[in-house]
Amino acid sequence: MTERFRSGAGRLCLDFVRTLRYRGAPAETEELPDAAAWGAWIDQLGPFSAPVRPAAVDDARAAREAIYELLTGSLRPSSRQRLNRFAALPAPAPSLNASGGLRWQAEDPAAAMLALLARDALELATSPELARVRRCAGPACGALFLDTSRPGTRRWCSMEICGNHAKKSTYRAKVH
C-alpha cells in the first residue's frame, strides 16, 4: 500500500493533527476533504479498514482541531466538551481471527477511530510527554511531533524532509 498520509510523529493523535498540512501558512492543505480521505487515513494508520459514512469527516476535522487546541495550550471549553464526547465513544474491540491474527472490530469504525484519537490526545496531554511535544522548525512545516531524542533537542518533524531542507539551506548560504 502506498502511504498517502504522514506518520512518525510519535503518537497517533499527532499523526492525525498533521492532516492539516502547513497549518497557518499560505500553502495550508486539507488532507481530509471528504469521507473517502478520512477512510483512507483510517485504512493507513488505524487498526482496521473501515467504510466511513460521509458525515464522519466533519467529526474527524472537528476532533483534529480540538486535539490541536489541547496540545498547543489553546483549548476552548467547546473543544474540551467535544474531545470528552469523542473519547466516550465505543472503541474498537480486538479479537483473534481463525489464523490466530489480531483483528479489530467496531460497529461504527469512524466513531471508534475518533475514540482512539481523543483518548490518545487526552493521555498525552495529561502525561509528562506533553513537555516533549514540539513544533517542527521547518519554516513551511510547523507540524507537531513528540521529541523522543535522549537530549530532547530534536528540531524537525522528519530528518528526511524538513531536516534535509534545513541542512541544504545552511549549506547553500555558506557556499554563496
Side-chain angles (χ1 to χ4, degrees), residues 36-61:
W38 172 220
W41 192 91
I42 294 171
D43 286 346
Q44 181 183 325
L45 296 167
F48 47 77
S49 295
V52 179
R53 67 190 199 290
V57 73
D58 294 332
D59 286 343
R61 287 191 300 252

Side-chain angles (χ1 to χ4, degrees), residues 105-144:
Q105 306 175 89
E107 188 173 314
D108 181 346
M113 194 70 225
L114 291 176
L116 291 178
L117 290 164
R119 291 172 187 187
D120 185 47
L122 294 174
E123 288 172 11
L124 176 57
T126 57
S127 78
E129 284 186 325
L130 182 62
R132 290 265 183 141
V133 172
R134 308 273 188 264
R135 186 176 312 274
C136 181
C141 182
L144 299 179

Side-chain angles (χ1 to χ4, degrees), residues 6 17 22-23 68 134-145 157 162:
R6 294 170 296 165
V17 167
Y22 311 121
R23 182 182 293 272
Y68 179 80
R134 308 273 188 264
R135 186 176 312 274
C136 181
C141 182
L144 299 179
F145 65 91
C157 64
C162 291

